[in-house]
Amino acid sequence: MRHPRLTWLLFALLIGLSPVAFSAPEQRADDDLPVADIQTFAEVFERIKRAYVDEVDDSTLLRNAMRGMLGELDPHSTYLSSKDFEALRESTEGEFGGIGIEVGLQDGQLTIIAPIDDTPAAEAGLQPRDAILRIDGKITDRLSLEEAVTLMRGEPGSEIEITILRDGENTPRTVTLTREIIRNESVKSEILEPGYGYLRISQFQNSTGKQVRDALAKLSKKAPLDGLILDLRNNPGGVLDSAIEVADAFLDSGLVVYTEGRLPDSDMRFSATPSTAAPDVPMVVLINGGSASAAEIVAGALQDQRRAVIMGTTSFGKGSVQQVMPLGNGDGVKLTTALYFTPEGRSIQAKGIAPDVEVVRGRLEVAEGNDFGIRESDLSGRLANPNGGQEPSSSAGKEPVKDYQLGEALNLLKALNVLDRRPSNQGG
C-alpha cells in the first residue's frame, strides 16, 4: 500500500510545487518523512530530465530509482518486471532456456555461485567464484542481476559468449556455450555399493520433496539401506516448502526451521510430521561453499536434531527470507522480510553451516588461503548475522576429477555401521 503523504509530496516536488501545500496533520516522530531528502531526490530527477545526454522518460527513471532503492538494501531484494516474474516462475518449475548457473554479486562484480548439474555451464567447467566480466561482449560491471540473467537466457540452440576471470588467475578466458532447455529434475539417486545409497539434490524446486520420496523408495526397493549420502554441494537453494519436505523425509518430529522478521506474519515455525520416508537410515550430508539457502535449512535441521553427520566445508550462508509481492502495474518486488534460524536458534546468515567433519579437496584439514568458494558473507550489501560472531572464510568446492569427499562420506557410513554392530558390554 502506498504511503499517501509520500505520494502527494513526491507529486508536489516533481511538478515544482511547495511541499508545504500538501503538509499532513501532525504525525508521530517515527512516521515523519525526510522532506529534505525527498527534495534532493526531486532535484536529481529534474537534473537528469533536463541535462542528461540522452532523453530518458519518467517511467524509466522512476523504475531505475526503485531498483536502486531495493538493490542497496541487500543482495537479494530487487524490483521485478513482468519478465522477471516469468523467469522466477520458470526457475522454480525447473525448466527454462539458458546455460545453467546461479549468479550473485561480489563487491559489485557478477560472480558464479554454482553451476547447475548437467547443463552447458557445468559441462564447460565453469566454477564457483568465477567472475563474469562480459556476456556477449557486454561489460557486466553496471548490470543488475536481473539484466545479467536476462542476457544469459535465450532460445535453445543459440550461442552465448562468456568472458570469465578465475580466482587466482591473471588472464581472462572466453567460453562459448550453446543454450539448452534447462530441465533440472533436481534429484538423482544411485546405489554406490550394496546397501549404500546416494541422493543428489542440485536445486530445490516445487517437486523436489516428492522426487526425494520417490528416490528413497527406489533405493530401498531391493533391500533396506545400511547408509545414505545426501549430496547438497553446489546447491543454490530454491523453494522453502521443498526444503521442509526434504528434511521431513528424514525426521519424524521436532522443529525443522523458524523465521523471524519485523512483521507478525514473518514469524513462522515449521516442524516435521510423523510420516517419514527414511527415519532410521544412517546418513552423511555433504555440503560446501556452494550450498545455500534451502540446502542450508536441510543441513542445519539434520545437524541440530543429530539425525545426520554433516561433512564437507562451510556452506554459503544465505539465511534470509524473500517474499515476492505483486504491484498494481503488473511488476513486483522481491523483498527480504525475515531471517532463517535452525532448530537450536542458530542464524545461517553470513555464517553458514559448519560441517561436523571437514573434508576439503583430498585433505582432512584445509590450509589457510586454499579457499575458492563464494558465500553470502562475500556479497555486497549482505545482511549481518543477528547472533553476532565472526563470519567464517570461504571454503573450497567439489574436487572436479576425483570425488574425495564422497569417498570419505562412504567410509564414514561404513565405520558407523561397524560401531553399531559391536556387541554391548554386559555385566555378570
Side-chain angles (χ1 to χ4, degrees):
M1 181 177 179
R2 293 186 178 89
H3 194 302
R5 186 179 175 215
L6 177 60
T7 300
W8 281 109
L9 185 55
L10 279 173
F11 175 75
L13 291 169
L14 290 173
I15 64 175
L17 298 178
S18 170
V20 176
F22 293 92
S23 60
E26 185 176 347
Q27 300 179 358
R28 294 173 303 168
D30 61 357
D31 197 32
D32 285 347
L33 292 170
V35 175
D37 290 336
I38 294 174
Q39 287 175 324
T40 302
F41 171 82
E43 184 178 357
V44 171
F45 188 96
E46 188 274 333
R47 294 280 178 91
I48 295 172
K49 286 285 294 179
R50 179 166 53 86
Y52 185 64
V53 63
D54 295 322
E55 186 174 347
V56 187
D57 62 86
D58 293 348
S59 179
T60 299
L61 283 176
L62 290 172
R63 277 179 170 77
N64 288 344
M66 289 183 283
R67 288 189 179 94
M69 181 166 53
L70 287 157
E72 288 297 316
L73 295 175
D74 65 84
H76 310 293
S77 295
T78 186
Y79 188 92
L80 297 170
S81 67
S82 56
K83 290 183 179 179
D84 295 332
F85 260 128
E86 179 63 17
L88 185 62
R89 184 198 65 79
E90 289 175 346
S91 63
T92 58
E93 292 295 333
E95 182 173 313
F96 53 91
I99 60 174
I101 54 173
E102 180 80 8
V103 294
L105 292 176
Q106 181 187 17
D107 297 328
Q109 176 63 58
L110 186 68
T111 307
I112 296 175
I113 293 174
I116 299 173
D117 291 352
D118 300 322
T119 63
E123 292 168 1
L126 298 185
Q127 298 179 10
R129 208 179 179 88
D130 284 349
I132 301 178
L133 306 181
R134 295 176 183 267
I135 302 173
D136 281 337
K138 188 169 185 177
I139 297 175
T140 62
D141 61 354
R142 297 190 64 182
L143 294 179
S144 67
L145 280 176
E146 291 68 38
E147 290 170 331
V149 169
T150 299
L151 284 177
M152 289 186 286
R153 292 189 176 182
E155 289 296 319
S158 61
E159 290 190 343
I160 179 173
E161 192 176 81
I162 304 288
T163 302
I164 65 167
L165 180 62
R166 183 149 296 166
D167 192 60
E169 297 183 359
N170 297 322
T171 304
R173 60 178 75 182
T174 298
V175 181
T176 300
L177 307 172
T178 301
R179 295 183 180 92
E180 296 178 359
I181 289 292
I182 307 300
R183 292 186 180 93
N184 184 10
E185 292 299 325
S186 85
V187 177
K188 296 179 181 178
S189 63
E190 63 177 296
I191 295 293
L192 297 175
E193 292 183 11
Y196 293 95
Y198 173 79
L199 190 63
R200 163 71 180 162
I201 304 178
S202 59
Q203 192 174 18
F204 287 87
Q205 301 168 350
N206 291 331
S207 60
T208 299
K210 180 181 184 303
Q211 290 180 36
V212 164
R213 290 181 179 271
D214 291 345
L216 289 171
K218 182 179 178 181
L219 288 172
S220 57
K221 187 174 183 179
K222 292 184 178 180
L225 292 173
D226 294 321
L228 178 70
I229 297 171
L230 176 61
D231 190 351
L232 300 178
R233 292 173 296 179
N234 290 336
N235 181 320
V239 180
L240 171 62
D241 288 346
S242 293
I244 295 165
E245 289 178 28
V246 169
D248 192 19
F250 305 105
L251 300 169
D252 55 17
S253 64
L255 193 61
V256 173
V257 68
Y258 69 93
T259 64
E260 291 184 353
R262 291 175 59 204
L263 300 178
D265 61 358
S266 298
D267 296 341
M268 298 179 289
R269 299 174 71 86
F270 302 92
S271 297
T273 62
S275 176
T276 302
D280 301 319
V281 179
M283 285 183 65
V284 171
V285 178
L286 288 173
I287 61 172
N288 67 358
S291 307
S293 190
E296 296 173 291
I297 289 173
V298 173
L302 297 179
Q303 186 179 53
D304 280 6
Q305 292 219 34
R306 313 300 190 266
R307 176 62 186 85
V309 176
I310 310 301
M311 178 179 281
T313 57
T314 302
S315 63
F316 181 80
K318 181 186 178 294
S320 58
V321 184
Q322 283 74 44
Q323 288 188 13
V324 178
M325 305 173 182
L327 300 174
N329 64 352
D331 293 348
V333 169
K334 186 171 73 169
L335 186 66
T336 299
T337 57
L339 295 177
Y340 293 122
F341 293 85
T342 70
E344 292 187 350
R346 294 181 295 153
S347 173
I348 299 168
Q349 177 59 27
K351 296 183 75 172
I353 300 296
D356 301 309
V357 180
E358 188 170 29
V359 180
V360 183
R361 301 177 72 89
R363 293 165 56 180
L364 289 175
E365 294 181 1
V366 58
E368 188 174 347
N370 283 353
D371 182 346
F372 301 100
I374 174 175
R375 291 199 302 275
E376 172 82 4
S377 56
D378 298 316
L379 298 182
S380 303
R382 53 87 182 149
L383 300 174
N385 187 285
N387 289 356
Q390 184 177 1
E391 299 165 3
S393 60
S394 301
S395 297
K398 177 180 176 181
E399 172 64 44
V401 178
K402 183 179 178 182
D403 198 338
Y404 180 80
Q405 292 173 323
L406 181 58
E408 287 299 301
L410 183 59
N411 289 337
L412 178 57
L413 280 176
K414 292 178 179 178
L416 291 174
N417 275 319
V418 169
L419 292 173
D420 191 52
R421 288 194 295 267
R422 289 191 309 173
S424 58
N425 294 326
Q426 298 182 0

